[in-house]
Each structure stands twice: as structure tokens, then as C-alpha cells.
Amino acid sequence: MEKSIVTTGKTIDLAIEAALNQLGLDRDSVSVMVLQQAKSGFLGFGAQPAKVQVTYEAPDPVPEKPEAPKSALGSASRSKPKVPAAPVKKPEAPKPEEPKQEAPKAAPEKPAAPKAEVKVPRAPAPKVPREPKPEAPKAPAVPKTYVPAEPGSVEEKIEVFIKGLLEHMNSDAVPHCWKEADGTYKVDLVGDDLGYLIGRRGDTLDAIQHLANYTVNRGVDGHIRINVDAECYREKREESLRRYARKKAQQVLKARRRTTLEPMNAYERHVIHAALQDMDNITTHSTGVEPNRRVVIEYVK
């Protein structure tokens, strides 16, 4: 279930940091809605702090266990009316040799009634163990096959540059380059421990891609577009951004108030804009300056 808190600060970033410290969460685990921009006022008068609403996922409460239903046996024994005792006849004269007549007791009849309702469970028939069916062996993942770049081609030039860059980074990863149908040169980094080549939110991968585009396009007619990827990170990141954008848009539609997302690079902002461009009553635009430029999602009638 979703919960939210409202915090203030001199700036939006300080208000968000105060909420994260209070919740003990990181920035990726929450979503932020700006409720009020900070105002400095005039000579200290009319100053207002920034106010944000931070939404986070909280575990659902564990439902209480329902009380066990009372057994039919116990209810039947309690609901059974008691048999009234027969009146005691007073003897005409006390006779020591004759004991007093006692009324017939109905108590012995009480255990007889529940005995008829008690069912003796039958002994379960012994189960014959079944032999487990042999599982079919899973087919191993087919590794990608790469065609070697032709000598003197653009693909070879890109692979040579990126290979040298990776060697300076003490990485044994191997770049493989090919040309897509739209003219883009796709580079896939193959090797072990590629996490540090991807970096936080793909920062290191973006830096490698930027250097490759800058170097290969020097002294070349036209523009060569290079896309560097590792372990299909960019495809997974795009899908994650689309889900995040749709979730924030639904919150904006429900509250009918705009929200500002965290800072993103130009590529990630483009994914957000494209994911919400056909959504009714929703418009998006970017605000701020790099590297803190953000996407704003607004409700429109």
C-alpha cells in the first residue's frame, strides 16, 4: 500500500532530503510531488519554504486471524435442555431402615447423547509413493554470435577506439559493433563484471558512448550515430522509465496536480515524453538546467 508524508525545506532538494532521512529510504524508492515552491520574500517578510509530498510503498498490514468456529458438539451439549428432577415424595413416617427416595438423575444420560455424534476417523489408506517424473533438461542459453568487422570499416574503427578506452579502464570487456537498418552503429560490450562499466543509472555507459561519438565523428562527412550497450541495460532502463512515467501520470490524473520528476539526462527525458505523449489530459515539459533538468507532468482539461 502507498503512504505519503509532507516535508518542507529552504529548497525542493532539501525538503526531499528531509523526507528521505525521516523515512530511511533512498531517492529511487519514493516519488515526489511538489506542493509549494520556495519564496525568498522581501527583507525576510513573506518568505515561504518549499513543500513536497513524498510517496512510498509500505507493507500491507497482516490481517487478524478469525476466531475458530465453535464446534457443533459443544453447541449441541450446551443447547440441550436439562431434564427436570422428579418431585420427591415425602414419607408418611420416618423409617430408619428405609432410605429416602431420591429423584431419578438425568445426569447419566448426558454423556450418552454426544457419544452418538462422535465419529471415529478411519485410518487413512497408505499412500503409495509415486516415482518423480524426470524433468527435461533446460536448454542452455544460446550465446550471441558476432560477425568480425571488416578491415578499414567504420565498425572496426569504433571497436579499436572503445577497446583502447576499456584497456585504460583496466577492463577485459570486448566491444562488438554492427550497423543497424536505420544507420545506427550498435556496440555491445561482452565480458565479466560489467556493472562498473554501466555505472549508476548508466552514467559510465553514457560517458563511453559520448567519447566514441565525439572521436569517430571527427573529420567525417555526415554524422555517425553510435549506441553503446552492455547486458541489454538500455532496453531494461527504457521499460523501467515507461512504467515509472505511467505510474506518475496516474497519480497526477487522480490528484489533478502537477508533479516534478527527479533530474534525468536528455535520453531519459525523451523516453518519459514519448511514453506520455498520447495520454489524455496529460502534458509534459522539461524545466531547469543541466545536470538538474527535470520532467514536469501536468494535468490539462
Side-chain angles (χ1 to χ4, degrees):
M1 61 183 292
E2 287 190 352
K3 291 187 177 181
S4 61
I5 62 172
V6 177
T7 56
T8 59
K10 291 185 178 180
T11 64
I12 292 178
D13 291 335
L14 290 178
I16 295 174
E17 183 179 354
L20 295 178
N21 292 335
Q22 181 177 346
L23 296 174
L25 300 174
D26 56 9
R27 184 62 183 80
D28 296 335
S29 303
V30 301
S31 58
V32 179
M33 178 180 292
V34 179
L35 302 179
Q36 176 178 286
Q37 297 286 348
K39 296 182 180 179
S40 58
F42 179 72
L43 296 179
F45 297 98
Q48 294 181 356
K51 184 185 292 185
V52 297
Q53 180 179 352
V54 177
T55 305
Y56 61 98
E57 293 287 338
D60 296 334
V62 180
E64 297 181 358
K65 295 183 179 180
E67 295 182 359
K70 298 179 179 180
S71 62
L73 179 59
S75 59
S77 60
R78 286 194 298 269
S79 61
K80 183 176 180 180
K82 295 183 179 181
V83 179
V88 180
K89 293 182 181 181
K90 186 175 181 182
E92 296 179 358
K95 297 180 180 180
E97 65 277 3
E98 294 182 1
K100 293 182 180 180
Q101 297 181 358
E102 297 181 358
K105 296 181 180 180
E109 298 180 0
K110 290 183 179 179
K115 285 183 179 179
E117 298 181 6
V118 176
K119 296 181 179 180
V120 179
R122 296 181 179 178
K127 296 182 179 180
V128 179
R130 297 181 179 179
E131 297 181 359
K133 295 181 180 180
E135 296 182 358
K138 295 182 180 180
V142 180
K144 291 183 179 180
T145 56
Y146 300 97
V147 178
E150 296 181 2
S153 63
V154 177
E155 291 89 340
E156 184 188 37
K157 183 178 180 180
I158 295 172
E159 289 182 357
V160 169
F161 171 77
I162 295 180
K163 180 62 178 177
L165 182 61
L166 295 177
E167 289 177 354
H168 281 82
M169 298 173 65
N170 296 323
S171 173
D172 296 331
V174 178
H176 296 279
C177 180
W178 69 92
K179 188 176 183 180
E180 296 282 353
D182 59 354
T184 302
Y185 287 88
K186 185 73 177 292
V187 180
D188 196 8
L189 304 181
V190 179
D192 299 328
D193 193 17
L194 299 177
Y196 81 100
L197 291 182
I198 296 174
R200 184 176 181 271
R201 294 187 179 179
D203 291 343
T204 308
L205 204 61
D206 291 340
I208 296 173
Q209 178 174 295
H210 177 75
L211 291 173
N213 276 280
Y214 177 78
T215 304
V216 174
N217 279 282
R218 293 179 60 185
V220 177
D221 296 334
H223 179 72
I224 298 175
R225 185 179 178 185
I226 304 172
N227 189 347
V228 181
D229 198 1
E231 296 181 344
C232 299
Y233 168 78
R234 298 199 182 277
E235 180 180 351
K236 298 174 184 177
R237 178 62 176 165
E238 286 184 11
E239 183 59 30
S240 176
L241 287 172
R242 293 190 191 98
R243 291 197 303 267
Y244 176 67
R246 289 191 290 267
K247 177 182 177 181
K248 300 301 293 184
Q250 291 298 332
Q251 294 177 359
V252 171
L253 287 175
K254 185 177 180 180
R256 296 195 174 186
R257 300 184 64 175
R258 72 177 186 175
T259 185
T260 304
L261 306 183
E262 67 269 15
M264 299 180 183
N265 57 35
Y267 166 74
E268 292 179 339
R269 295 197 304 271
H270 171 73
V271 174
I272 297 292
H273 292 311
L276 302 180
Q277 64 181 355
D278 297 329
M279 195 168 183
D280 296 335
N281 303 114
I282 288 293
T283 182
T284 61
H285 65 273
S286 297
T287 184
V289 295
E290 299 290 355
N292 294 319
R293 194 162 175 80
R294 308 162 183 260
V295 175
V296 179
I297 305 176
E298 287 190 284
Y299 171 81
V300 293
K301 295 182 180 179

